[in-house]
């Protein structure tokens, strides 16, 4: 069954990103949604069932809106081609649909809940590969979308992703809010330079995959269990520190590259104020990445907080973690 679900996942993504016609793009999104649902509700815990239901409802609404936008556009212009989305109303509907698919503010509420209810491996899929088809659709339609609306959504995403992540203790929720603020960085630039959006998405995917795989190896779901990981696997915790700082976008690491290029492009477009605001808002993200990193590497047990001691599970650290962490720290040069 798992094989069927993963193949359908890749199939749906491939169909969406390679389609020219709106109906095939919609079909790919639907296949994607249906393939990930069993992976979310795999553990049969009430919370994961709830997460799957929430995910299904939001994605179904978003798919309906995609279909509705393309149909109104075809009704007015006679064009079913994805790049020919010209009618202003359909552009607005499509923007909201894709924002709902991605979890951009103001449609972000479902994402932390769904991520919190699903296992870490599924959380990795939800944060990376499930975001790829909507991002591609956004890139393909970007010339006709409203730049003011996109900038507003992007800045509010960066703000809310930063602010709501400050008070979290669950690692999956922190990763969800980090994802929301990164999506803000991707959408602010999309009207001006869509290639930068894709670059940002690829690098974000790489770093998030590294973080999720490390958390999965250490089996850490909350900050209190993250505090005990240094004793088990110091090297891995040190790499987690570097990867988190890379996600925050600190200069010698990979994560600085998209932020640097985006700020440069925004200042070229006379949007220095937007660039300043979104850079300041990424400091909020830096705070909670530092808190994760602090719990993973600097606090050593035994200390005063009450936490459960975990079993030492010696999972082998696989090659993909090694490759991904190296790339997420060394790729800037």
């Amino acid at each position: 069954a798992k094989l069927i679900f993963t193949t359908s996942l890749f199939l749906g993504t491939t169909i969406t990103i390679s389609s020219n016609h709106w109906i095939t793009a919609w079909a790919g999104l639907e296949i994607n949604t249906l393939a990930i649902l069993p992976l979310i509700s795999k553990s049969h815990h009430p919370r994961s069932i709830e997460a799957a239901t929430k995910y299904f409802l939001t994605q179904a609404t978003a798919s309906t809106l995609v279909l509705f936008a393309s149909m109104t556009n075809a009704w007015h212009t006679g064009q079913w081609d994805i790049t020919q989305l010209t009618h202003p109303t359909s552009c607005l509907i499509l923007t909201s649909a894709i924002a709902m698919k991605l979890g951009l503010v103001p449609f972000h509420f479902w994402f932390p809940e769904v991520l919190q209810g699903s296992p870490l491996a599924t959380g990795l899929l939800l944060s990376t590969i499930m975001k790829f088809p909507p991002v591609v659709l956004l890139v393909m339609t970007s010339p006709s979308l409203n730049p003011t609306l996109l900038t507003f959504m992007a800045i509010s995403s960066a703000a809310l992703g930063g602010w709501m992540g400050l008070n979290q203790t669950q690692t999956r929720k922190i990763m969800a809010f980090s994802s929301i603020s990164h999506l803000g960085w991707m959408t602010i630039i999309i009207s001006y330079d869509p290639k930068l959006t894709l670059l940002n998405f690829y690098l974000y995917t790489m770093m998030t995959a590294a973080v999720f795989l490390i958390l999965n190896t250490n089996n850490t779901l909350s900050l209190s269990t993250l505090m005990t990981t240094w004793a088990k696997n110091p090297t891995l915790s040190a790499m987690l520190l570097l990867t988190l700082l890379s996600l925050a976008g600190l200069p010698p690491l990979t994560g600085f590259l998209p932020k640097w290029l985006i700020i440069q492009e925004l200042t070229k477009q006379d949007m220095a104020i937007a660039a300043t605001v979104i850079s300041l808002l990424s400091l909020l993200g830096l705070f909670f990445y530092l808190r994760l990193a602090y719990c993973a590497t600097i606090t050593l047990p035994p200390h005063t907080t009450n936490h459960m001691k975990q079993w030492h599970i010696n999972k082998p650290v696989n090659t993909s973690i090694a490759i991904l962490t190296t790339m997420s720290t060394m790729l800037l040069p």
Side-chain angles (χ1 to χ4, degrees):
K2 204 179 244 182
L3 179 70
I4 294 175
F5 297 141
T6 37
T7 41
S8 331
L9 209 60
F10 285 107
L11 174 76
T13 308
T14 318
I15 289 176
T16 304
I17 63 181
S18 56
S19 58
N20 288 318
H21 195 287
W22 273 113
I23 298 290
T24 42
W26 168 80
L29 289 172
E30 286 296 300
I31 293 173
N32 248 357
T33 305
L34 292 176
I36 194 92
L37 282 172
L39 297 178
I40 298 175
S41 58
K42 192 170 59 184
S43 63
H44 295 297
H45 189 273
R47 171 159 268 185
S48 61
I49 306 287
E50 181 187 347
T53 315
K54 283 177 180 169
Y55 185 76
F56 172 72
L57 291 173
T58 43
Q59 299 299 309
T61 316
S63 296
T64 318
L65 282 175
V66 167
L67 209 51
F68 182 53
S70 51
M71 276 169 65
T72 43
N73 186 60
W75 186 32
H76 282 283
T77 60
Q79 284 287 352
W80 276 104
D81 199 29
I82 292 185
T83 47
Q84 301 289 327
L85 189 81
T86 45
H87 192 254
T89 317
S90 8
C91 289
L92 278 175
I93 299 172
L94 183 86
T95 313
S96 59
I98 287 185
M100 206 180 288
K101 277 262 174 221
L102 287 172
L104 271 174
V105 174
F107 305 107
H108 63 287
F109 295 103
W110 62 273
F111 189 53
E113 300 285 326
V114 169
L115 215 58
Q116 179 58 31
S118 49
L120 279 167
T122 313
L124 167 62
L125 289 177
L126 280 173
S127 319
T128 55
I129 196 172
M130 296 303 289
K131 306 254 164 158
F132 190 40
V135 166
V136 170
L137 285 180
L138 204 56
V139 167
M140 286 166 80
T141 55
S142 60
S144 50
L145 299 179
N146 181 357
T148 325
L149 177 68
L150 286 175
T151 310
F152 174 71
M153 286 168 89
I155 288 178
S156 47
S157 290
L160 275 166
W163 263 310
M164 294 171 76
L166 291 181
N167 212 12
Q168 302 296 333
T169 54
Q170 302 287 330
T171 46
R172 286 171 292 188
K173 278 201 173 175
I174 292 181
M175 291 312 292
F177 288 118
S178 116
S179 173
I180 292 172
S181 52
H182 274 274
L183 283 167
W185 279 90
M186 286 172 224
T187 33
I188 198 166
I189 199 65
I190 198 152
S191 318
Y192 311 106
D193 196 348
K195 286 192 183 67
L196 269 186
T197 298
L198 281 178
L199 170 79
N200 194 347
F201 182 77
Y202 297 144
L203 294 178
Y204 153 78
T205 300
M206 192 175 70
M207 297 182 288
T208 308
V211 172
F212 265 110
L213 287 173
I214 293 177
L215 291 177
N216 195 24
T217 308
N218 283 336
N219 199 12
T220 46
L221 297 177
S222 67
L223 289 183
S224 54
T225 44
L226 193 62
M227 287 176 182
T228 58
T229 54
W230 181 263
K232 283 191 272 184
N233 209 330
T235 336
L236 203 58
S237 295
M239 284 317 286
L240 177 63
L241 164 79
L242 284 175
T243 316
L244 284 166
L245 292 183
S246 181
L247 260 178
L250 290 189
L253 307 165
T254 312
F256 179 57
L257 176 69
K259 287 192 166 48
W260 179 24
L261 294 173
I262 285 174
I263 290 173
Q264 196 179 2
E265 183 62 37
L266 284 175
T267 41
K268 279 182 197 164
Q269 301 284 351
D270 289 337
M271 289 177 65
I273 299 175
T276 314
V277 169
I278 202 166
S279 315
L280 288 174
L281 289 171
S282 72
L283 288 176
L284 293 166
L286 173 66
F287 178 82
F288 59 76
Y289 293 128
L290 274 177
R291 202 165 107 204
L292 270 177
Y294 176 81
C295 286
T297 52
I298 303 170
T299 44
L300 295 178
H303 45 63
T304 49
T305 54
N306 300 320
H307 61 265
M308 305 285 289
K309 281 277 186 280
Q310 279 195 301
W311 289 100
H312 285 227
I313 307 166
N314 290 330
K315 285 188 192 172
V317 177
N318 52 11
T319 346
S320 55
I321 293 188
I323 296 168
L324 283 166
T325 47
T326 314
M327 283 172 73
S328 9
T329 46
M330 311 283 191
L331 219 59
L332 185 67

